[in-house]
Amino acid sequence: MTVERYELAPGYRISRMLRGGWQLAGGHGPVDQMRAIDDMAAFVDQGITTFDCADIYTGVEEMIGVFRAQAGEERRRRLKVHTKFVPDLGHLHQVDRVYVERVIDRSLRRLRTDRLDLVQFHWWDYAVPGWQETAAWLVHLQKAGKIHLLGGTNFDRNHSAALIDAGMPLVSMQSQYSLLDSRVEKGLVSLCEGSGMKLLCYGTLAGGFLSEHWLGRSEPDGFENRSLIKYKLIIDDVGGWELFQALLQRLKAVADRHGVAIGNVATRWVLDRPQVAGVIVGSRYADHLADNLRTFSFELDQDDHRAIDEILAQRRTLEGDCFDLERDRDGRHGRIMKYDLSRAT
């Protein structure tokens, strides 16, 4: 199976499935760092040549940096690494040009490179001034040669447009997008159509809920990690457990037609949406790599889409624009977020 590729910017091609690094940060259980580093070669060799990480993912930039240093020239040439610039909520008022450059220089050291492939900018609270100035400082570092491309993370339609209008050359916006969460369709997709910006999507499998593991199971009342809590709230908001089970049953029928798994169908569905450049699939090791690659072994036809749309028509739309629920620190979604992870000062 050949992993599809996408030209995100002139001369800059990525794999349409990106290896996500969040699970390597330890939030989903212990991480065998040497095994994780060794397994990175399997992803690159199988065509998943684009890795996604962040300055706030503890230890992940360093692990990728070790892999890059150990990899042969051919693997290094193929590898693209996307990181993020995410100043802590408690430090937003302190962000200045020196702060921005210090964090970018730290990512350069950790990733063992002279230029970052793509830096994705995130700002926790729009009410705190400085996000446009911070964007301008990132553009300055791009012009200085420390950053190749700039993107965003979790900006909504209006604030993304403001960044573009202010001169930030956003090639991508990383947003949550799945069969359960369609908030990007409220305005961000149309902005992409007009600006040339593309979507890099996370949450495509809803933390693993969109899989056979949950098919036919009774509604749970407790979870082992924060990711499952997060996506269960989304299931509740879009229609509840009964509708979720109906969706899984429909996805299973489609998956069986093609000889693949529910997760492959859920991922393929997002890849087929307008303006989507790629999806980010999290994993600690390469155990499920072969299963993930099956996403590129089939196509969804009109009958498949009609069957899925029949269930999606019963779905309630999540409130607000992209990441609005998560920004509300007093709300159900915002209360489980962690806002201060960068340890930049």
Side-chain angles (χ1 to χ4, degrees):
M1 285 163 285
T2 301
V3 176
E4 296 168 9
R5 303 186 66 75
Y6 194 97
E7 189 169 51
L8 194 60
Y12 186 87
R13 295 175 63 81
I14 64 170
S15 54
R16 294 199 73 200
M17 182 173 286
L18 291 78
R19 192 271 175 87
W22 171 241
Q23 290 195 17
L24 292 176
H28 291 75
V31 176
D32 181 338
Q33 291 197 3
M34 292 309 299
R35 178 185 172 191
I37 292 167
D38 289 343
D39 278 6
M40 290 178 187
F43 286 87
V44 175
D45 292 347
Q46 291 298 316
I48 299 180
T49 56
T50 310
F51 291 5
D52 180 84
C53 63
D55 56 338
I56 61 171
Y57 296 174
T58 304
V60 179
E61 286 184 327
E62 291 94 333
M63 280 188 271
I64 296 174
V66 171
F67 169 68
R68 174 178 265 152
Q70 295 176 349
E73 182 178 347
E74 174 63 16
R75 285 180 179 145
R76 280 197 298 271
R77 183 188 63 78
R78 299 176 66 199
L79 179 65
K80 300 288 188 295
V81 181
H82 298 175
T83 192
K84 301 179 185 71
F85 172 76
V86 186
D88 288 344
L89 174 65
H91 295 151
L92 293 185
H93 64 287
Q94 300 174 354
V95 176
D96 57 15
R97 184 169 176 169
V98 173
Y99 180 107
V100 175
E101 187 160 14
R102 182 169 69 247
V103 173
I104 294 301
D105 285 345
R106 185 182 64 184
S107 290
L108 287 166
R109 290 193 304 273
R110 288 173 169 176
L111 288 167
R112 305 192 189 194
T113 186
D114 296 326
R115 185 178 70 167
L116 301 174
D117 293 326
L118 173 69
V119 173
Q120 300 160 106
F121 172 41
H122 177 74
W123 193 262
W124 288 111
D125 188 348
Y126 299 137
V128 179
W131 52 277
Q132 288 172 299
E133 291 82 358
T134 300
W137 292 322
L138 288 170
V139 172
H140 171 79
L141 293 175
Q142 181 185 39
K143 293 177 178 177
K146 294 188 176 185
I147 300 169
H148 183 195
L149 299 171
L150 288 168
T153 299
N154 292 325
F155 278 85
D156 61 20
R157 188 267 175 216
N158 289 339
H159 289 85
S160 296
L163 289 174
I164 294 169
D165 291 344
M168 188 177 192
L170 293 175
V171 300
S172 63
M173 183 58 61
Q174 187 173 137
S175 298
Q176 188 166 290
Y177 197 8
S178 72
L179 287 155
L180 299 171
D181 185 352
S182 60
R183 284 177 288 178
V184 297
E185 296 173 8
K186 293 183 176 183
L188 198 57
V189 170
S190 62
L191 177 65
C192 288
E193 291 173 349
S195 67
M197 182 176 70
K198 300 300 179 183
L199 296 173
L200 297 174
C201 304
Y202 69 91
T204 302
L205 300 180
F209 272 114
L210 291 170
S211 69
E212 280 80 1
H213 176 76
W214 292 98
L215 178 62
R217 294 187 60 174
S218 300
E219 185 169 5
D221 56 8
F223 299 100
E224 61 189 26
N225 61 60
R226 189 164 47 92
S227 178
L228 289 174
I229 297 171
K230 164 189 168 71
Y231 290 108
K232 176 54 165 59
L233 290 175
I234 291 173
I235 290 171
D236 294 342
D237 287 355
V238 300
W241 197 253
E242 184 177 348
L243 180 61
F244 171 63
Q245 285 296 317
L247 176 61
L248 286 183
Q249 290 169 11
R250 187 60 53 88
L251 295 175
K252 176 63 172 170
V254 173
D256 286 347
R257 269 191 71 208
H258 295 283
V260 296
I262 287 174
N264 300 127
V265 175
T267 304
R268 184 74 258 175
W269 185 89
V270 174
L271 283 170
D272 290 346
R273 305 304 291 172
Q275 308 305 315
V276 171
V279 297
I280 299 162
V281 177
S283 58
R284 272 176 281 183
Y285 313 115
D287 295 352
H288 302 292
L289 176 57
D291 294 334
N292 290 333
L293 290 173
R294 292 163 70 196
T295 298
F296 301 101
S297 70
F298 72 104
E299 296 180 358
L300 294 174
D301 60 27
Q302 291 184 349
D303 289 340
D304 296 327
H305 281 290
R306 276 194 294 267
I308 294 170
D309 288 346
E310 186 178 57
I311 303 297
L312 296 184
Q314 305 172 48
R315 183 185 54 177
R316 291 193 296 264
T317 303
L318 289 171
E319 294 180 6
D321 205 328
C322 299
F323 211 68
D324 281 354
L325 291 170
E326 293 83 354
R327 289 184 191 278
D328 179 5
R329 296 192 294 279
D330 296 322
R332 293 161 56 249
H333 296 262
R335 285 197 298 268
I336 66 169
M337 298 294 295
K338 291 185 178 181
Y339 300 91
D340 295 295
L341 292 169
S342 80
R343 302 184 179 97
T345 59

